Amino acid sequence: MPQKRNSSPARSPRRAPRQVTLIPGDGIGPEVIDAALGVIDATGVNIDWDRQLAGAAAMKRYGSPAPDQLLASLRRTGVALKGPLETRVGEGYRSINVYLRRELDLYANIRPTRSFAGIRTPFKNVDLVIVRENTEDLYAGIEHQVAPGVVESVKVITARASRRIAKFAFDYARRNKRTSVTAIHKANIMKLSDGLFLNCARTVAREYPKIKYNEAIVDAACMRLVTDPASYDVLLLENLYGDIVSDLCAGLVGGLGVVPGANYGKKGAIFEAVHGTAPDIAGRNLANPTAVIMSAALLLEYLGHPDEAARISKAVHDVIKAGRHVTRDLGGRAGTIQMRDAIIAAMA
Ligand code: NAD
């Protein structure tokens, strides 16, 4: 069987040193981003960081969660390392994450989800890649009240977006020597919207005869993921299912603190962890920096530094396997800073 490995889908044509937008984010964001900066620094890769505020931090400073200079920076650099941003539940401004992904047309969200030796979980060899459509579905944000007590949220699925995310998933699978792509859907109920998504996936699949194509209904797929995750490889999902299923998959490998993510488009890329601002542990040196550090490794790969990316990834795996300097969520007693320092030491 071919060796599985994960790598970014595209390389930036330019070499470092180059400017990269840095968004520390809200809650635990600044702590984990700081840890990632220390680790990148230790690789010797020279990056000119353009620090920008977004989300609650920008709201406080500039009165806008997405100030003009943030967009200008992202358009100029085309690439960012980003901490999580706060979005209030049921009130306040719309998600800045969704806004940024749509504004830059970062249509593909990739979440490589792999087991770590040293983290005790029910399964040892989870190796999944979530490919999530990032620009439409219920995240289009089209909601209205029809009458008091009756609201509608519109699910938008287009053939164009469905085809391009399916193509991305198959291209990713081919480039990374993965064996299968499974489209996850609920087309038995949403016959038009999920039916269109599925039809597009089927059409694209025919162009990749060497990669197995499967389909699974989302509820059944969730059950199978928690009983037999090895039966899946690359998962292709619409926006909402992708969001939910990727957190479920994070649970299979040790939680939200360890899963990295990247948003890719034709104009650029934003690298960020799957997790949010974790307000319950923010500012207390408790956050696990792994997810953002692994996202930083994906960033280095994208910038054309695969060896340095591999060094980071190996050091993170080594530190977690040793188990002496890991954070509380992984059963250890180290703080964010101590875990960062152990990772840097492991890179030496
Ligand atoms: P969350 O991911 O912030 O936290 C869920 C749980 O996981 C909490 O118990 C938290 O302590 C824990 N956790 C998360 N990251 C961790 C880490 N690195 N180390 C250790 N434990 C960690 O999810 P939530 O509580 O649903 O959301 C909080 C806020 O984050 C909300 O405003 C939400 O909108 C936002 N959010 C942002 C992003 C993003 O910016 N990409 C993603 C998800 C959620």
Side-chain angles (χ1 to χ4, degrees), residues 31-42:
E31 298 168 73
V32 286
I33 286 283
D34 224 47
L37 289 185
V39 170
I40 292 177
D41 226 36

Side-chain angles (χ1 to χ4, degrees), residues 234-280:
V234 175
L235 301 178
L236 167 63
L237 305 102
E238 293 168 4
N239 207 340
L240 180 63
Y241 305 148
D243 194 10
I244 297 167
V245 170
S246 55
D247 274 28
L248 181 150
C249 291
L252 292 173
V253 298
L256 288 168
V258 298
V259 179
N263 305 283
Y264 298 106
K266 298 248 183 298
K267 297 183 217 158
I270 294 182
F271 297 84
E272 61 179 338
V274 170
H275 66 70
T277 59
D280 50 333

Side-chain angles (χ1 to χ4, degrees), residues 28 82 84-87 97 101 256-257 272 274-281 287-288 329:
I28 59 170
K82 177 187 156 299
L85 302 176
E86 178 188 305
T87 311
N97 295 312
R101 291 166 194 164
L256 288 168
E272 61 179 338
V274 170
H275 66 70
T277 59
D280 50 333
I281 55 168
N288 186 341
D329 56 310

Side-chain angles (χ1 to χ4, degrees), residues 171-287:
D171 282 341
Y172 183 99
R174 185 158 64 188
R175 201 172 28 250
N176 293 286
K177 302 190 171 34
R178 315 283 309 201
T179 53
S180 75
V181 172
T182 304
I184 310 283
H185 66 93
K186 190 77 185 172
N188 50 330
I189 302 299
M190 280 160 281
K191 293 175 193 291
L192 278 184
S193 54
D194 285 16
L196 175 60
F197 182 80
L198 215 47
N199 272 331
C200 292
R202 284 173 191 166
T203 306
V204 171
R206 284 198 280 275
E207 295 166 27
Y208 299 81
K210 290 192 179 144
I211 296 165
K212 257 186 266 156
Y213 171 68
N214 301 310
E215 295 171 356
I217 294 176
V218 63
D219 38 348
C222 287
M223 194 279 295
R224 198 158 146 207
L225 276 165
V226 298
T227 51
D228 184 19
S231 60
Y232 291 119
D233 187 355
V234 175
L235 301 178
L236 167 63
L237 305 102
E238 293 168 4
N239 207 340
L240 180 63
Y241 305 148
D243 194 10
I244 297 167
V245 170
S246 55
D247 274 28
L248 181 150
C249 291
L252 292 173
V253 298
L256 288 168
V258 298
V259 179
N263 305 283
Y264 298 106
K266 298 248 183 298
K267 297 183 217 158
I270 294 182
F271 297 84
E272 61 179 338
V274 170
H275 66 70
T277 59
D280 50 333
I281 55 168
R284 295 163 56 200
N285 192 33
L286 291 175

